[in-house]
Amino acid sequence: MSTSVDDAAAVGVVTDERELHVRMKDGRTISVPLDWFPRLVDASPNERADWRLIGAGEGIHWPQLDEDVSIAALLRGR
């Protein structure tokens, strides 16, 4: 049984100097360029490491940066 984009959930997040890597509940890892998120590009490694899942993993929030990323939007390439 496949998970729809709208039901996808994150369980972990890692960033490096170039990419945001999101580990999904179904075992996939989604990697996207940090360039998609100017606040993350300009942030320090410590600021990028300070994240929280939104709800049951439908999004990611960086409190120090006031940045939110929707998992459904990531999977749709937005």
Side-chain angles (χ1 to χ4, degrees):
M1 179 166 121
S2 65
T3 302
S4 79
V5 169
D6 293 319
D7 294 332
V11 295
V13 176
V14 175
T15 61
D16 57 34
E17 291 301 315
R18 296 182 344 214
E19 293 182 313
L20 167 65
H21 309 280
V22 181
R23 195 176 42 158
M24 307 298 292
K25 185 176 182 179
D26 65 8
R28 292 179 290 171
T29 298
I30 308 299
S31 297
V32 297
L34 278 183
D35 291 341
W36 288 9
F37 311 101
R39 289 180 184 163
L40 294 179
V41 167
D42 294 337
S44 71
N46 286 340
E47 289 170 324
R48 287 194 299 263
D50 181 21
W51 58 269
R52 306 287 181 271
L53 291 176
I54 298 171
E58 61 263 15
I60 309 158
H61 174 67
W62 285 266
Q64 292 183 52
L65 305 172
D66 193 29
E67 179 72 90
D68 295 315
V69 173
S70 158
I71 299 306
L74 276 182
L75 292 171
R76 290 184 179 111
R78 297 185 207 155

